[in-house]
Amino acid sequence: MNIKYLIALALAGLLAMSSIAYAGESLNAYFTVNYITYLNPNGQVNNYYIEYTLSIYNNEPRSIPLNVSMSILPYSSVIYTSPAATAINNNMVTWIITLRPYSEEVLDVRFKPVYTLLPIATLDYGVLVNGSSVNSTVVNGNVGTNVEIFINTTNQLPFPIVTTITLTRQSGLFYEYNITPTITQDLLGYEVDYWLFNTENVTSMSLNMITENMGPWHSIRINPITVQTSIDLNESIKALNESINSLNSTLNQLVSFSSTVINASSLSSNYTTQFFQLIALLNQTAQVLGASAYLINSTLMVEGLLQAQLVELKVALSTEGQILGTEVSVISQIRSLLGPIANNQQSYINELNTLKQDLLQIESSTNNATLISEINNAITIINQLEGSLTALTQLYNGLGAVQDELTSTQAQVNQAVNGLNYAIAAANESETLIISISNNLYLLHNELLNLTNQLLATYLSISSYQTRALSYMAQVNNYEEEIRSMIVNDEVEETVLNTLAKQYLSYVSINETNVSTDVTVEETFIINMPSIVNTQYLLQLINATTAQGNETQSPRTIGIVVNGYYGYFLIMGIAVSIMLILILIRKFRY
C-alpha cells in the first residue's frame, strides 16, 4: 500500500494543478469521465473509447449564455457529440449554448484515444464452457452446456471504490452464483441483477449459466455482462475531511487528558520524595529515643546529654510536624487538581456517551468501510477513557484517605512534642522523674515506630497509584500515536484524490471561470459472452433443405408447379432463415 501511495504522489506532482469550471452559485455542474471497454469472451479488446458527460443546472430565473469547452486526449478521434458541437478544433470540443431559467443541459462527447490507461481499477476475467477456455464467440453446445465466468476487479487507488456488476437475465438459461445479487429490478420486462461492492483491494465473483432451452433454432446468444468501477471524488474527499476532523478532535482530548495526568504525576513525585525523607527522619528519631531511654536507665550522668537530646528531638519533631503539614498541603493541592475531574466524572462520562452515540449515528448512516472502521476505533478509545476517568476518581478518593492519615499522624507528632516538653520539665525538676521520663521515651519510641510504619504503608500506596497512572499514560500515548498515523494516512489519501479531481477538472472550461464541480470517474467493462449453437442440428437442417430443393427441380414437380406453390415458399423461407443464421454466426465470429 505504501508503494501505491508513493507512485500516486509522484504522478500527482507531475499533473497540472489548474482547475477550470464556472463561477457563482447560480450554476451547478456534475462532470463524469467514463472509460468504456468492450471485451471478447477470450479476453481480447473489441473496442474502447472515453466519454465525457457534463450536466449543468441553472438555478436562476434568467437565461445564462455559456461557452463550454472540453479538452480530449491528443490524437483522439471524436465519435459523436450530444448535442452537436459548435466547433471541434485540435483537442478541444466547444459548445455555445444558452441555458434557460431553472433548466438542465447535458453535454456529451465520446472519443477514441490512441491509447488509454485505466486510472482507478483493472479487470481480470475468464470464460469457460464446460470447463474449457473459449477461443471464439460461437461455441458448439446443447441443452446442459455450462458457461462459467470468473471476475476479479483490482482497486488501484488508496481509497475504496464502488464496483457494480450487472447481468440481464434471459429465458433458456439457469443461473448459479456464489454471491446473492444486491438488487434485482424489472426493466422493460427483463429481470436485471446488480451486485454492488465496496472495493478496497480486490473484488471477486463467479457466475454459472446452464442452458435449459435453446429455442426452435437450437441456439442461444448469452447477454453481455457489465462490470463498472466508479468513485465520486468530491464525496470521497468530504468523507476523508470528516474523518480527519473527528480524529483531530479525539487527539486533542487525549492530549489534554495526558497533560492533566502528567501535572498530577509531577506533583505526586515531589510529594513522595519528601514523604520518603520524612519516614527516614522518623525512623532515625525513634532509634535515638530508644537509645536515649537505655542510657537514662544506665546512669544519671547522661541526664544532661539526655536533656539536650530531648530539646533536639523536640526541634526535630516540630520540624517533622511542619513537614507533615507541608505534605498535607501538597496532597490537598493534588486533590484540588483532581477534584474537577472526580466531581465531574459523571458529566464527562455523559459527554463521552453522547459523543459515542453521535459516532454510532454516523456509522449507521454511511456505507464507507474505512470511516466505519475509524468510528469503531474512536468508540474503543472513548470506552478506555471512561475507564481512566474511573481510575482517576479512585485515585482522588485514595489521596483523601492518605490526607486523613497524615493529619492523624501530625496530631500524634504534636502529642509527642507535648510529651517531650513534659519530659524536659520533669528532668529539670527532679532526678526522681528520670525513670518516668525513660518510660515516656520508650512509649514515644514505640509511637514513632508505629507512625513510621503507617507512613511507609501510605508511601507504598501513593507509589502504587502513581505507577497505575503512568501505566494509563503509556496506553494513552499508544492511542495518540495510532490516531496520528491514521490522520497522516487520511491526509495522504486526500492529497491523491484532490490531485485527481484537479486533473479531471482541467479538462472542462465553462465561460473560462473557476467554480467547484462534482467529479465522478467511471470504468465500464462490457464482456461479450459466447453464443451457444447446436451445429449438428444446423447441418441436418441444411442437408434436409438441400435435398428438398433438389426434389422441387425434378420433372415431376415441374408438372405440378401450381399445386407446389405453397411448398416453394416454405422452402424459400427455410433457406432465407438458414442464411440469416449463417450471417449471424459469421458476425459473432469476427
Side-chain angles (χ1 to χ4, degrees), residues 307-432:
Q307 292 179 354
Q309 184 67 40
L310 289 175
V311 173
E312 182 179 358
L313 179 60
K314 175 184 176 181
V315 174
L317 287 176
S318 298
T319 302
E320 292 167 3
Q322 294 175 356
I323 292 174
L324 288 172
T326 301
E327 301 307 325
V328 170
S329 175
V330 171
I331 292 178
S332 178
Q333 292 177 5
I334 295 175
R335 295 189 77 229
S336 65
L337 291 174
L338 297 176
I341 298 176
N343 294 334
N344 296 310
Q345 175 193 5
Q346 189 59 44
S347 175
Y348 291 151
I349 291 177
N350 290 338
E351 291 178 1
L352 290 174
N353 286 332
T354 301
L355 176 59
K356 191 190 301 180
Q357 293 301 321
D358 292 340
L359 291 175
L360 289 173
Q361 290 179 1
I362 294 174
E363 181 182 14
S364 65
S365 63
T366 182
N367 293 325
N368 188 288
T370 299
L371 181 56
I372 290 174
S373 176
E374 294 170 348
I375 287 175
N376 290 333
N377 292 337
I379 290 175
T380 301
I381 294 174
I382 289 174
N383 292 333
Q384 293 170 350
L385 286 177
E386 291 178 352
S388 299
L389 285 173
T390 302
L392 287 177
T393 302
Q394 294 175 355
L395 177 62
Y396 174 82
N397 295 332
L399 288 178
V402 171
Q403 184 176 3
D404 293 338
E405 291 176 2
L406 288 179
T407 302
S408 175
T409 302
Q410 186 179 15
Q412 293 178 4
V413 170
N414 290 334
Q415 291 178 0
V417 171
N418 292 333
L420 285 175
N421 288 331
Y422 175 79
I424 292 172
N428 291 331
E429 291 176 357
S430 176
E431 294 182 358
T432 58

Side-chain angles (χ1 to χ4, degrees), residues 102-168:
Y102 303 112
S103 64
E104 173 191 3
E105 183 73 34
V106 179
L107 305 178
D108 187 83
V109 57
R110 181 180 298 176
F111 61 93
K112 185 170 185 178
V114 177
Y115 67 93
T116 183
L117 297 177
L118 300 179
I120 63 176
T122 59
L123 175 67
D124 182 25
Y125 72 97
V127 178
L128 302 177
V129 175
N130 293 329
S132 301
S133 300
V134 178
N135 296 322
S136 65
T137 57
V138 179
V139 178
N140 180 33
N142 206 336
V143 173
T145 298
N146 182 19
V147 180
E148 186 174 8
I149 182 170
F150 301 92
I151 299 173
N152 292 309
T153 304
T154 303
N155 183 9
Q156 293 183 317
L157 294 179
F159 193 84
I161 60 176
V162 176
T163 299
T164 304
I165 300 177
T166 306
L167 167 68
T168 302

